[in-house]
């Protein structure tokens, strides 16, 4: 390092020396070497200057490099400190995350509902303890699987569709689903699905919550069946969708959306969580008072509603002490809830990641309405029991095995078996005749297997067996009912022995009436025909021997015999209407009207009548024969009772009103006085002079035909003169 430092001074001295020699040569010696010597001196000075400048720069660079090394050292130290700090923060964050997860899992595991999470591909990533109890499986058999590994393909597809809907829309999804347990019991569950989001608010999976609402459904259905006044209540979660961020956000969403109240307190009794449902149920929020004052602060009593609930026995305090409590019932009454409410409470300790008790968790719900419904159901059942016991007919209930489970006092009187004797016995062996027992047993089995029962929910007539062994006819109405455990069958039985006897007497009298009608139709009409025929013979053969008065007498005899014959025919027809109306069929009214006009064709020509038929006549549910006869009677009357000197004008159209569907026949005749509007439909009653041909039975037949079909027949004045005769055939007809 010393040699480079001496070079520059040496070159400078050498340059000075050469410069001096050049000056001497220029001004004194004159050898002519002064220019080369000057050049050499300049070169020596330049080299010396360059060496000095390089040395200066090198020294500066060395200082800067040393400074940079010192800064780099400090940065390495700071980076090492930063790495130590980052590691510390990561450890603290991981510990906080584990504590948060432990708190979440502790709370979720003790909620009274099943909770599970799936990732975006549908793989299970978390299930709580309630779900494992519900499914009967361990976590290892579920985590890492999908719905398609657990459920039938159709059900798994439906579950996946619900997940995809949440994944795509980010919206809350809820539904009430049903499933059938291995023992055949049908259960109802409320399902709630929400999206799971990461820190960047991206949806990364779904969270599913569900809980059993079967008891609520059954209570509502039972109350509705008993009182028939209470509408079925449908419970639905009304909590709004909230954004889910980290696991603490997911927990908040759960607590805010479930209907049950959730309260968490630490070991010193300070409240950590108090969800909106708890606020609503209790009527107030958390109070800053010691645990010993909770009973008084919130107004907590035992189920008798008067005895204060001991503070040490409160479910939350017991949970803080490490106890697990279930279905503790207490009564709450305070200023916000002066009427009070019954609460059902479950509690469990709050544990940290190491299993140490950090506080307690209670979950509670308002069961006031459930208790009221149960009480109402009990009263309803008592009322039903009293009604059944006071019924005039026997009431019998059996289970799916055919064993008698209920037997009222009328059943005792009707069948001869006491209630205590009948209960627990097989019904078929008590009151079912031997020839019907196999059908009885097979009918129960068929209904249990297929749900079909031809004789259920309808009245049937069958024979029953008395204790003394005699059979008697009964009218039976059976209906099935499904309870929580099994099916049951219930029946009202009506002894129709007296009715059958009366019907037999009626049938006997009807047979006598048939005989009388036969005699009337044949034996009585034969003399009438003889009178008419012989009167005509006398009138024709001996006309020249009779004067005008005698001829008039004979004409009156003939007309009287003819009228009496028509009268007998009308009476016979009226009787047939009462006895011989066939089962109804759908008959186009247009065909009925066409048949009537064909039968009355000659009469229409004689009277030069104008008959107008509207388009689109309805289809009637009726016995075609008698419906045609009734319409023919109405049209015949319209042709007959016209204004003298004017051809009849008849219109036939559709009638549809509260009385049913039928036809209306309008005329422009002499009309019917208002005081005769009902009387003319009675047998042998007329509103006009007897000079007009007729027996007075035609409208009576019309009325009887209408009534036999569940309809009506009546007359009303027609605007502009004339009448409108209407006949309907019941309300079940279709236009």
């Amino acid at each position: 390092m010393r040699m480079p430092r001496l070079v520059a001074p040496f070159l400078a001295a050498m340059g000075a020396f050469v410069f001096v020699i050049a000056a001497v040569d220029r001004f004194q010696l004159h050898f002519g070497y002064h220019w080369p010597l000057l050049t050499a001196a300049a070169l020596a000075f330049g080299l010396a200057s360059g060496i000095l400048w390089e040395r200066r720069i090198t020294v500066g660079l060395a200082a800067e490099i040393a400074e940079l090394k010192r800064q780099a050292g400090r940065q390495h130290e700071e980076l090492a400190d930063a790495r130590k700090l980052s590691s510390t923060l990561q450890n603290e964050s991981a510990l906080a995350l584990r504590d948060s997860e432990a708190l979440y899992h502790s709370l979720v595991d003790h909620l009274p509902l099943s909770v599970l999470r799936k990732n975006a591909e549908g793989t299970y990533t978390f299930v709580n303890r309630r779900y494992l109890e519900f499914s009967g499986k361990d976590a290892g058999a579920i985590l890492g699987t999908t719905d398609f590994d657990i459920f039938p393909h159709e059900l798994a597809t439906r579950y996946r569709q619900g997940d995809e809907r949440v994944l795509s829309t980010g919206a809350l999804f809820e539904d009430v689903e049903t499933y059938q347990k291995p023992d055949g019991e049908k259960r109802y569950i409320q399902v709630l699905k929400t999206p799971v989001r990461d820190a960047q608010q991206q949806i990364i999976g779904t969270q599913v919550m569900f809980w059993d609402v079967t008891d609520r459904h059954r209570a509502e259905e039972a109350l509705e069946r008993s009182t028939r006044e209470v509408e079925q209540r449908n419970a639905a979660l009304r909590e709004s969708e909230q954004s889910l961020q980290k696991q603490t956000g997911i927990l908040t969403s759960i607590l805010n959306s479930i209907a049950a109240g959730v309260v968490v307190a630490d070991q010193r009794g300070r409240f950590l969580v108090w969800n909106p449902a708890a606020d609503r149920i209790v009527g107030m929020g958390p109070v800053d008072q010691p645990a010993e004052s909770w009973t008084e602060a919130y107004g907590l009593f035992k189920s008798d509603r008067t005895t204060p609930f001991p503070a040490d026995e409160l479910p939350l305090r017991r949970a803080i002490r490490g106890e697990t409590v279930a279905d503790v019932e207490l009564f709450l009454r305070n200023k916000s809830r002066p009427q009070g409410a019954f609460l059902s409470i479950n509690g469990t300790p709050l544990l940290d990641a190491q299993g140490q008790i950090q506080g307690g968790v209670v979950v509670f719900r308002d069961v006031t309405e459930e208790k009221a419904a149960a009480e109402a159901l009990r009263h309803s059942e008592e009322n039903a029991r009293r009604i059944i016991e006071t019924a005039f007919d026997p009431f019998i209930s059996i289970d799916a095995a055919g064993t008698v489970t209920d037997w009222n006092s009328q059943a005792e009187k009707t069948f001869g078996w006491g209630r205590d004797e009948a209960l627990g016995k097989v019904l078929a062996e008590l009151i079912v005749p031997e020839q019907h027992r196999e059908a009885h047993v097979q009918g129960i089995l068929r209904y249990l297997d297929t749900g079909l029962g031809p004789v259920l929910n309808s009245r049937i007539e069958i024979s029953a067996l008395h204790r003394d062994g005699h059979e008697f006819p009964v009218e039976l109405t059976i209906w099935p009912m499904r309870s929580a455990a099994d099916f049951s069958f219930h029946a009202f039985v009506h002894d129709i022995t007296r009715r059958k006897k009366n019907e037999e007497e009626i049938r006997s009298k009807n047979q006598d009436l048939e005989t009388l009608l036969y005699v009337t139709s044949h034996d009585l009409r034969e003399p009438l025909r003889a009178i008419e025929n012989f009167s005509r013979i006398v009138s024709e053969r001996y006309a020249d021997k009779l004067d005008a008065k005698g001829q008039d007498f004979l004409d009156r005899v003939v007309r009287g015999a003819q009228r009496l014959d028509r009268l007998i025919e009308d009476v016979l027809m009226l009787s047939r209407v009462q006895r011989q109306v066939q089962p109804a069929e759908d008959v186009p009214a247009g065909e009925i009207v066409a048949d009537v006009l064909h039968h009355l064709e000659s009469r229409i020509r004689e009277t030069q009548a104008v008959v107008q038929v509207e388009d689109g006549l309805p289809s009637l549910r009726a016995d075609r024969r008698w419906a045609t006869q009734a319409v023919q009677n109405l049209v015949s009357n319209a042709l007959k009772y016209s204004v003298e000197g004017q051809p009849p004008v008849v219109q036939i159209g559709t009638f549809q009103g509260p009385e049913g569907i039928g036809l209306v026949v309008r005329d422009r005749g002499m009309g019917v006085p208002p005081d005769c509007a009902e009387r003319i439909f009675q047998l042998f009653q007329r509103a006009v002079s007897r000079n007009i041909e007729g027996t007075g039975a035609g409208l009576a037949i019309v009325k009887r035909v209408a009534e036999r079909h569940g309809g009506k027949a009546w007359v009303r004045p027609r605007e502009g003169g004339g009448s409108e005769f209407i006949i309907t055939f019941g309300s079940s007809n279709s236009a």
Side-chain angles (χ1 to χ4, degrees):
M1 293 295 296
R2 295 180 61 88
M3 287 301 297
R5 293 181 179 179
L6 296 176
V7 170
F10 175 75
L11 291 176
M14 180 64 72
F17 177 73
V18 173
F19 180 78
V20 171
I21 293 176
V24 171
D25 180 67
R26 170 72 176 86
F27 295 107
Q28 294 181 3
L29 298 181
H30 304 290
F31 290 137
Y33 296 109
H34 61 277
W35 289 114
L37 291 174
L38 287 174
T39 302
L43 179 61
F45 281 128
L47 289 173
S49 298
I51 291 171
L52 290 174
W53 181 257
E54 179 185 5
R55 181 181 176 186
R56 183 176 180 180
I57 291 174
T58 301
V59 171
L61 289 175
E64 290 180 1
I65 290 171
E67 180 63 23
L68 288 175
K69 288 182 178 180
R70 286 193 299 273
Q71 291 180 0
R74 286 196 302 271
Q75 288 178 352
H76 280 297
E77 292 175 359
E78 292 175 356
L79 180 60
D81 293 340
R83 286 175 178 172
K84 291 180 182 180
L85 179 60
S86 175
S87 177
T88 302
L89 292 176
Q90 287 178 353
N91 292 336
E92 292 178 354
S93 176
L95 181 60
L97 179 60
R98 285 196 299 272
D99 290 342
S100 176
E101 289 177 347
L103 175 61
Y104 169 78
H105 289 166
S106 178
L107 289 176
V108 171
D109 271 344
H110 295 92
L111 288 175
L113 68 163
S114 299
V115 180
L116 55 93
R117 291 202 305 271
K118 308 176 194 175
N119 61 19
E121 289 73 33
T123 303
Y124 284 84
T125 59
F126 171 78
V127 290
N128 74 339
R129 185 179 64 183
R130 187 62 177 266
Y131 178 79
L132 296 177
E133 294 173 354
F134 171 81
S135 64
K137 300 179 180 179
D138 56 31
I142 297 176
L143 296 180
T145 65
T146 68
D147 290 332
F148 293 93
D149 300 321
I150 302 174
F151 303 105
H153 186 271
E154 181 180 356
L155 188 59
T157 300
R158 183 155 60 89
Y159 289 164
R160 184 56 185 169
Q161 289 174 349
D163 294 343
E164 290 177 348
R165 176 178 172 183
V166 174
L167 291 170
S168 62
T169 65
L172 179 143
F173 172 80
E174 59 180 321
D175 193 12
V176 176
E177 298 179 354
T178 61
Y179 72 96
Q180 194 164 13
K181 296 178 67 177
D183 59 3
E185 181 185 2
K186 186 178 182 181
R187 307 289 295 184
Y188 298 84
I189 58 174
Q190 183 83 34
V191 180
L192 181 68
K193 293 186 178 183
T194 56
V196 177
R197 302 177 185 270
D198 60 12
Q200 287 73 38
Q201 296 298 304
Q202 298 298 315
I203 297 175
I204 60 173
T206 57
Q207 176 168 273
V208 183
M209 298 172 284
F210 64 88
W211 55 96
D212 194 307
V213 294
T214 303
D215 292 340
R216 186 186 70 196
H217 275 267
R218 289 174 179 166
E220 292 172 354
E221 292 172 359
L223 183 60
E224 182 178 4
R225 287 196 303 269
S226 301
T227 64
R228 298 185 183 279
E229 296 177 355
V230 181
E231 295 183 352
Q232 185 179 9
R233 299 180 296 127
N234 294 316
L237 294 176
R238 302 182 181 276
E239 303 294 336
S240 59
E241 177 189 3
Q242 296 190 9
S243 298
L244 300 179
Q245 298 180 351
K246 299 178 181 179
Q247 293 180 352
T248 54
I250 297 173
L251 176 60
T252 301
S253 177
I254 296 173
L255 296 176
N256 288 341
S257 44
I258 63 174
V262 179
V263 174
V264 182
D266 62 17
Q267 289 181 303
R268 289 183 289 180
R270 293 180 302 181
F271 294 111
L272 305 177
V273 175
W274 187 286
N275 76 334
D279 221 18
R280 184 181 67 254
I281 295 172
V282 177
M284 54 192 298
V287 296
D288 188 14
Q289 294 187 21
E292 294 78 7
S293 303
W294 288 350
T295 296
E296 182 179 356
Y298 291 107
L300 306 177
F301 302 87
K302 289 189 173 182
S303 297
D304 61 7
R305 305 188 185 193
T306 56
T307 305
F309 206 98
D312 286 342
E313 297 180 13
L314 289 173
L316 183 55
R317 297 198 67 186
R318 291 173 60 187
I320 293 174
R321 292 197 298 266
E323 300 181 42
T324 298
V325 295
D327 300 326
V328 174
E329 187 174 284
L330 56 79
F331 185 75
L332 177 143
R333 183 173 57 241
N334 51 46
K335 292 181 179 180
S336 299
R337 300 206 64 174
Q339 302 301 321
F342 284 97
L343 307 183
S344 178
I345 306 176
N346 295 322
T348 186
L350 178 65
L351 306 178
D352 61 13
Q354 289 73 38
Q356 300 298 315
I357 298 176
Q358 300 298 316
V361 181
V362 291
V363 179
F364 53 91
R365 57 194 179 91
D366 188 340
V367 295
T368 307
E369 293 185 1
E370 293 181 18
K371 290 179 69 69
E375 184 67 16
L377 178 60
R378 185 181 65 81
H379 285 301
S380 178
E381 290 176 346
E382 290 178 356
N383 292 336
R385 180 73 251 167
R386 286 193 291 267
I387 292 172
I388 289 173
E389 282 300 321
T390 56
F392 290 108
D393 290 328
F395 176 81
I396 301 171
S397 293
I398 61 174
D399 58 21
T403 304
V404 177
T405 58
D406 203 351
W407 187 272
N408 72 346
S409 58
Q410 284 299 321
E412 293 180 330
K413 297 176 183 178
T414 301
F415 297 103
W417 296 94
R419 176 180 174 84
D420 294 337
E421 296 175 302
L423 294 180
K425 298 292 193 307
V426 178
L427 180 68
E429 298 175 359
L430 294 179
I431 66 171
V432 179
E434 187 172 355
Q435 66 270 23
H436 299 316
R437 288 178 185 174
E438 181 63 23
H440 167 78
V441 173
Q442 292 301 321
I444 294 177
L445 295 177
R446 181 171 59 252
Y447 179 79
L448 296 177
D449 185 42
T450 67
L452 301 177
V455 302
L456 298 178
N457 300 309
S458 61
R459 288 186 179 182
I460 61 171
E461 292 185 7
I462 197 171
S463 58
L465 183 66
H466 192 272
R467 183 173 187 171
D468 61 12
H470 81 273
E471 296 184 18
F472 59 97
V474 296
E475 187 177 71
L476 184 64
T477 303
I478 310 172
W479 67 96
M481 185 177 296
R482 181 166 187 171
S483 62
D486 207 343
F487 281 101
S488 59
F489 300 89
H490 311 273
F492 275 108
V493 185
H494 181 59
D495 185 349
I496 57 174
T497 303
R498 180 176 298 178
R499 192 182 80 187
K500 286 294 184 181
K501 183 178 179 180
N502 293 338
E503 289 176 352
E504 183 61 31
E505 292 177 358
I506 292 173
R507 279 194 294 270
S508 177
K509 292 180 179 179
N510 282 338
Q511 289 177 355
D512 293 340
L513 180 59
E514 288 283 353
T515 302
L516 176 61
L517 291 174
Y518 178 81
V519 171
T520 302
S521 177
H522 294 82
D523 298 349
L524 185 59
R525 294 175 75 181
E526 280 301 320
L528 282 177
R529 293 192 184 98
I531 293 172
E532 180 184 352
N533 292 336
F534 281 111
S535 296
R536 289 184 184 277
I537 293 172
V538 171
S539 177
E540 293 173 359
R541 293 184 180 181
Y542 301 99
D544 55 344
K545 298 180 179 180
L546 295 174
D547 57 10
K549 194 170 186 179
Q551 187 68 40
D552 181 59
F553 288 157
L554 284 176
D555 291 341
R556 291 189 181 188
V557 170
V558 171
R559 288 196 300 272
Q562 291 174 341
R563 185 171 181 276
L564 182 56
D565 184 69
R566 288 194 301 272
L567 186 59
I568 293 173
E569 179 62 32
D570 287 345
V571 172
L572 291 174
M573 183 176 296
L574 185 61
S575 175
R576 294 190 191 102
V577 172
Q578 294 176 326
R579 296 178 292 106
Q580 297 180 2
V581 171
Q582 299 299 314
E585 58 178 337
D586 288 328
V587 183
E591 295 182 5
I592 292 176
V593 172
D595 290 344
V596 168
L597 297 182
H598 178 71
H599 292 158
L600 298 175
E601 185 176 359
S602 61
R603 180 66 174 167
I604 293 173
R605 283 199 304 268
E606 291 175 4
T607 59
Q608 298 180 347
V610 177
V611 180
Q612 301 170 345
V613 181
E614 294 180 358
D615 294 332
L617 295 180
S619 178
L620 303 176
R621 188 75 176 167
D623 180 335
R624 182 175 189 135
R625 172 191 174 189
W626 291 110
T628 302
Q629 183 64 56
V631 176
Q632 181 173 324
N633 287 2
L634 293 178
V635 177
S636 178
N637 281 357
L639 297 174
K640 185 188 307 179
Y641 299 108
S642 60
V643 177
E644 186 176 358
Q646 297 180 4
V649 177
V650 182
Q651 294 180 349
I652 303 174
T654 300
F655 176 84
Q656 184 171 357
E659 300 84 357
I661 299 174
L663 297 175
V664 55
V665 178
R666 305 181 183 92
D667 62 52
R668 289 298 183 185
M670 56 190 67
V672 178
D675 58 342
C676 298
E678 294 184 8
R679 183 168 60 85
I680 61 174
F681 287 95
Q682 300 175 8
L683 187 61
F684 305 141
Q685 298 296 319
R686 307 176 69 186
V688 298
S689 170
R690 292 190 178 271
N691 292 330
I692 298 179
E693 178 185 359
T695 63
L699 291 180
I701 293 173
V702 171
K703 181 180 180 182
R704 191 60 52 87
V705 169
E707 292 173 347
R708 291 285 286 175
H709 287 84
K712 293 177 61 178
W714 72 98
V715 64
R716 64 189 182 190
R718 183 182 182 188
E719 186 177 353
S723 303
E724 292 184 345
F725 285 85
I726 303 166
I727 179 171
T728 63
F729 295 87
S731 59
S732 62
N733 295 283
S734 59

